[in-house]
Amino acid sequence: MNILMVGCGQMGGAMLKNWAGLEDMSFTVVDPAALHLPFGVRHETAADALADDMFDMLIVAVKPQMIETVMPAYGPHLIEDGCLVSIAAGYSLQGLEALFPGRAVVRVMPNLPALIGRSATGLFANDAATKEHRALVSHLMEAVGTAVWVPSEDQLDRLTAISGSGPGYVFQFIESFIEAAESLGFSHQDARKLVLQTMVGATEMAMSSDRAVGELRQSVTSKGGTTQAGLEQLRTDGTLDRLMVRTTSAAYGRARALR
Ligand SMILES: NC(=O)c1ccc[n+]([C@@H]2O[C@H](COP(=O)([O-])OP(=O)(O)OC[C@H]3O[C@@H](n4cnc5c(N)ncnc54)[C@H](OP(=O)(O)O)[C@@H]3O)[C@@H](O)[C@H]2O)c1
């Protein structure tokens, strides 16, 4: 399986790092920069260096605003039943289909923890994509974390508001939590250590448990205890619930406007 990736910056590079060990796959990258690529990845700086080489999959990993000028040169290098995969945020399937008529196209929405192989990724394909194309893209994205297929492009915008933008929400929560720990007298270093380990510990516990998250919350909240005193503030009148609905709705609205 020959895979061509066009653009290999932060996100393309993160994915490639996780793919380097996959069997029966060879990767070629076109990017003008001098890159530190995993061993065995072929690097070219421009499309003409590919000569007549053909690829089974073409991955769009340049910035969305570059797609229309950069990508048309690569269409002829994709085999007839090959698959175009785009990780570009906010660049629609319709736009990709206009550039690559009749081709199988998969839009992939990874998130930043792809950098450490822990992405929560959304996937959506057009009708030309076969079961085999989908299986191949699932295989690649599961090597970078977790992947979920969605039934429509609108659903991909909704997913963008959850997992695409989600790392930002989580970083904000962590930041506020650290500031609160500092206001109770901890040094920044200790506050950061305690908060991050608490976030990781609670998250991993939730991931390894079959119990509902609400049940886990109740299990650590004894009546009249410290957790209950804190949660009474955090949960006052459903403020946090409403805030999360407003947060994700705003991100969804923006994702739709960008497409
Ligand atoms: N970063 C994220 O969290 C994230 C999340 C989801 C989706 N995405 C999507 O991933 C894509 C890439 O984002 P990124 O954050 O990885 O951006 P990036 O770090 O800027 O990567 C883009 C790469 O493309 C290269 N490039 C520029 N012109 C090129 C050309 N003519 N041919 C080939 N390569 C060229 C750039 O090189 P130079 O730097 O030398 O210009 C750079 O290495 C975007 O479409 C973005 O929407 C990113």
Side-chain angles (χ1 to χ4, degrees), residues 24 32 45 49 59 68 109 133 149 213 232 234:
D24 303 326
T45 53
I59 300 178
E68 279 152 35
M109 177 51 62
H133 291 136
W149 285 94
V213 176
E232 273 168 13
L234 196 57

Side-chain angles (χ1 to χ4, degrees), residues 6-11 30-32 61-64 66 70 87-89 110 112:
V6 181
C8 188
Q10 179 161 246
M11 188 49 78
V30 180
D31 189 296
V62 289
K63 293 280 192 195
M66 305 198 70
V70 170
I87 66 164
L112 199 60

Side-chain angles (χ1 to χ4, degrees), residues 53 88 101 106 159 166 171 212 238 247:
D53 296 351
V106 180
L159 180 142
F171 292 144
T247 300

Side-chain angles (χ1 to χ4, degrees), residues 5-15 29-35 44-47 60-67 69-71 74 86-91 108-115 164 167:
M5 178 185 276
V6 181
C8 188
Q10 179 161 246
M11 188 49 78
M15 297 198 308
V29 162
V30 180
D31 189 296
L35 303 165
E44 303 294 354
T45 53
V60 182
V62 289
K63 293 280 192 195
Q65 61 271 24
M66 305 198 70
I67 290 178
T69 48
V70 170
M71 290 313 300
Y74 295 92
S86 170
I87 66 164
Y91 199 92
V108 170
M109 177 51 62
N111 69 7
L112 199 60
L115 291 172

Side-chain angles (χ1 to χ4, degrees), residues 163-178:
S163 51
S165 301
Y169 316 150
V170 174
F171 292 144
Q172 176 60 67
F173 184 79
I174 291 172
E175 219 180 318
S176 302
F177 200 177
I178 288 175

